[in-house]
Amino acid sequence: QVQLVESGGGLVQAGGSLRLSCAASGSIFSANAMAWYRQAPGKQRELVAAITSGGSSNYDDSVKDRFTISRDNAKNTVYLQMNSLKPEDTGVYYCNADLMIRTYYGGTYYSREMNYWGQGTQVTVSS
């Protein structure tokens, strides 16, 4: 079963740092684009940062110069280093990835791209 498993959330004071990890597991050939989203209470889910398989990244303006997204292609893992955290960064952080998965049909293995979400990890920043 293919899944994304996140870790690293928690409670931190304003100005502190956290590092989130998201590992893809299962019958995977590779990971294409990977991203982090967050959802604050009462708000819609929003894109925080994204990274391509080649390492190109983009960020929401609210986190530029504070957050860094990176990945380890050998481990199919994406990270989010969050520095100078603010109370408004509080929310549930979700990992999202386009994965090339292996499927078996009619005696042959195929690869196809599918999009997956992690279960979410809570980040709480106190003032």
Side-chain angles (χ1 to χ4, degrees):
Q1 182 179 359
V2 176
Q3 58 181 347
L4 297 175
V5 179
E6 299 140 339
S7 61
L11 172 65
V12 64
Q13 288 188 332
S17 298
L18 284 173
R19 188 187 193 218
L20 306 182
S21 299
C22 171
S25 64
S27 296
I28 302 168
F29 284 115
S30 63
N32 294 332
M34 306 183 83
W36 288 96
Y37 288 74
R38 69 185 176 192
Q39 187 166 20
K43 295 187 177 181
Q44 289 188 330
R45 192 173 299 187
E46 62 178 4
L47 176 66
V48 175
I51 187 168
T52 67
S53 58
S56 297
S57 59
N58 62 279
Y59 299 88
D60 183 80
D61 286 344
S62 66
V63 306
K64 280 181 180 178
D65 301 324
R66 298 188 298 122
F67 291 9
T68 302
I69 190 171
S70 61
R71 62 189 290 165
D72 184 333
N73 289 335
K75 296 180 179 179
N76 293 317
T77 298
V78 63
Y79 306 95
L80 186 68
Q81 177 65 44
M82 304 185 293
N83 299 328
S84 302
L85 282 160
K86 304 175 181 180
E88 51 264 44
D89 294 319
T90 294
V92 179
Y93 283 68
Y94 296 92
C95 175
N96 180 271
D98 292 324
L99 303 177
M100 295 301 296
I101 66 169
R102 183 173 65 175
T103 59
Y104 183 78
Y105 180 79
T108 304
Y109 284 97
Y110 297 90
S111 65
R112 60 172 178 159
E113 184 180 80
M114 291 189 68
N115 185 262
Y116 289 86
W117 288 94
Q119 80 284 359
T121 185
Q122 177 70 44
V123 171
T124 303
V125 184
S126 63
S127 57

